[in-house]
Amino acid sequence: MNVTSISFPYGEAIQWFSPQNSHNLPNMPLRDWLLDENSLTTKLRNHCQKFDVTVLGEHLHAPLEGECEQSSTSMWIREVLLSLDGTPWVFARTLIPQAILDNPLYTFATLGTRPLGELLFNSNEIRPGNIEVAQFETCGKLASLALSLEQPVTDTLWGRRRYFELADEQIIVSEIFLPAAMQDIIKHA
Ligand SMILES: C=C(O[C@@H]1C=C(C(=O)O)C=C[C@H]1O)C(=O)O
């Protein structure tokens, strides 16, 4: 996989909505992938022989406009690709407040290629919040990233976003299903 971290961060501003208020959710099984309350890592692992995390970049960075309430302060931005049997399926972008990063009880800053979900879903202190979804067109950095993965974006993409509460801080995790994932999920509908 020929991916460069020169363009990090790849994330784009996305308009998320609550699935409860939406009548235009996709059909199953894509809807199940979007709304599964459990760890996406676990679901992906169960869908392949070999699961990999490729870190595109991790750095203190200002969030995107409107991405979170503290958009003026830097947060730890982690962007990864989650691959199934060598094929990138998910682009994930996570925002971690500095206060959590500095907490010696957690190793978010040194995760490397360990999936974030192994931390988020294995701590009684971390509470997963509600899931939001988005269907969007991209012609920006995300589209360029997909093209560099030999997955040209020819249709809208679907993604989900979730807040994870820790003490009085929030970790924001967004996951975008890349074209290869969409094709496979829809093929097996
Ligand atoms: C939040 C989870 O962790 C996954 C792994 C991520 C990572 O390693 O950066 C980011 C988002 C998720 O797809 C999960 O497994 O649900």
Side-chain angles (χ1 to χ4, degrees), residues 39-41 53 78 80 82 92 94 114-117 120-121 173 175:
S39 164
L40 184 60
T41 296
V53 177
R78 170 182 166 93
V80 301
L82 306 180
T94 302
R114 275 179 56 209
L116 179 71
L120 296 179
F121 287 91
V173 181
E175 298 146 328

Side-chain angles (χ1 to χ4, degrees), residues 73-87:
T73 54
S74 291
M75 298 177 83
W76 184 254
I77 310 269
R78 170 182 166 93
E79 292 185 342
V80 301
L81 290 172
L82 306 180
S83 296
L84 278 58
D85 299 325
T87 301

